[in-house]
Amino acid sequence: MRADCIGAPSGIRKLALLADIIARTFKAFMRQPSLPTATRSSWLRQLAQRLLYLWPVKAVGTTVFMVAFFQAYFFVLRNPGSTPRVMPQIWLDHGVPFAPQAFGVYASLWVYVSLPPALMGNFRGLVRFTIWVTLMCALCLALFWAFPTQVPEPSIDWSAYPYLSFLKGVDASGNACPSLHVASAVFTTFWLHHLFGAMGAPRALGWMSHLFCVAIAWSTLATLQHVALDVLAGALVGWVFARLSLYQAQAALRAPRCALA
């Protein structure tokens, strides 16, 4: 533990320790892929080529995947295998206040998770990403059904917050642990990190992605959609599947052939 945190209150020391662990984890595992990278003058051109590569297939495929996912998600939500268990809260839950304005960040996940397939430069990469994200979602849905959980019901008048009231009406308090919202964000940030590295994009772009992932995780707590244990479990699931999916994935990260010429 850092010396400057010794005199701080217990909650702040724990938060500082958690932040230090997260930073060390990213530093240890978020290494750039060992691919020939583009020069700074050409990464924007490669970005455009990647976005244009099979864009109709990507657009239709992403839409079909999301529609199928939501069908399965809401089926499990409405038909759990047993009575859902209420997830307990820990000290971190009390350190993140309710923030209705976090709804925009929470909803932005569906744009964020669409970025890796949009940036894929070859069909092998598209297939690999799709298979692994499907496996991750299938595992979480199986856990939701077999071990149903829900978040505690807060004493808040949701009618005062129209957007959150809509969210609570559509996405009820079930399917809590692990947070698939956070798992998807973590899975996405790992893939984006490696794709940006393969493109030779500025490192700042990768760190912006990491910060956005953290913001999405925060939004799940700030909107009271999840508790901290859900978030931590979801982050672990996303990390495991990201590491497995990116193992020896150099070929999947390569640019379109026209970009390599």
Side-chain angles (χ1 to χ4, degrees), residues 3 16 32 39 50-51 84 115 139 156 182 213-214 223 235:
Q32 300 282 7
T39 63
R50 284 174 175 268
L51 290 173
L115 294 179
L139 172 65
I156 293 178
V182 174
C213 175
V214 173
T223 57

Side-chain angles (χ1 to χ4, degrees), residues 4 66 89 99 113 123 155 161 187 192 242:
D4 56 359
M66 287 190 176
Q89 294 182 311
V113 297
F123 190 72
S155 55
Y161 310 101
F187 185 84
L192 286 178

Side-chain angles (χ1 to χ4, degrees), residues 4-230:
D4 56 359
C5 292
I6 293 178
S10 175
I12 295 178
R13 292 203 306 271
K14 291 177 180 178
L15 195 58
L17 180 59
L18 178 62
D20 185 60
I21 292 172
I22 293 174
R24 289 175 182 272
T25 301
F26 273 117
K27 185 176 180 181
F29 294 108
M30 289 284 217
R31 296 191 177 93
Q32 300 282 7
S34 55
L35 293 174
T37 57
T39 63
R40 288 187 176 181
S41 61
S42 64
W43 80 268
L44 284 174
R45 181 180 62 184
Q46 186 183 144
L47 173 65
Q49 291 169 330
R50 284 174 175 268
L51 290 173
L52 291 173
Y53 176 77
L54 292 180
W55 71 264
V57 174
K58 295 174 180 177
V60 173
T62 300
T63 303
V64 170
F65 180 89
M66 287 190 176
V67 170
F69 165 77
F70 279 119
Q71 292 289 329
Y73 180 88
F74 288 121
F75 176 83
V76 172
L77 181 65
R78 293 161 185 156
N79 300 277
S82 59
T83 303
R85 179 173 60 90
V86 177
M87 290 296 296
Q89 294 182 311
I90 61 174
W91 60 270
L92 186 57
D93 292 290
H94 305 296
V96 179
F98 172 59
Q101 63 271 25
F103 171 79
V105 180
Y106 183 88
S108 68
L109 172 79
W110 306 112
V111 176
Y112 188 58
V113 297
S114 302
L115 294 179
L119 293 175
M120 218 65 72
N122 61 83
F123 190 72
R124 177 183 295 184
L126 277 174
V127 172
R128 187 184 187 105
F129 180 86
T130 302
I131 289 174
W132 279 103
V133 77
T134 300
L135 289 174
M136 182 181 72
C137 291
L139 172 65
C140 289
L141 291 176
L143 291 174
F144 294 156
W145 184 85
F147 308 101
T149 52
Q150 65 181 51
V151 297
E153 190 63 37
S155 55
I156 293 178
D157 180 10
W158 294 115
S159 63
Y161 310 101
Y163 291 113
L164 286 178
S165 178
F166 171 77
L167 177 63
K168 299 296 180 179
V170 174
D171 189 6
S173 59
N175 289 3
C177 187
S179 168
L180 189 48
H181 218 77
V182 174
S184 300
V186 171
F187 185 84
T188 297
T189 200
F190 271 81
W191 269 87
L192 286 178
H193 179 88
H194 284 73
L195 284 166
F196 289 152
M199 293 162 52
R203 288 183 178 272
L205 204 58
W207 284 110
M208 287 174 61
S209 174
H210 304 335
L211 290 175
F212 198 74
C213 175
V214 173
I216 290 174
W218 162 78
S219 74
T220 65
L221 297 176
T223 57
L224 304 182
Q225 281 293 101
H226 288 284
V227 298
L229 290 177
D230 304 336

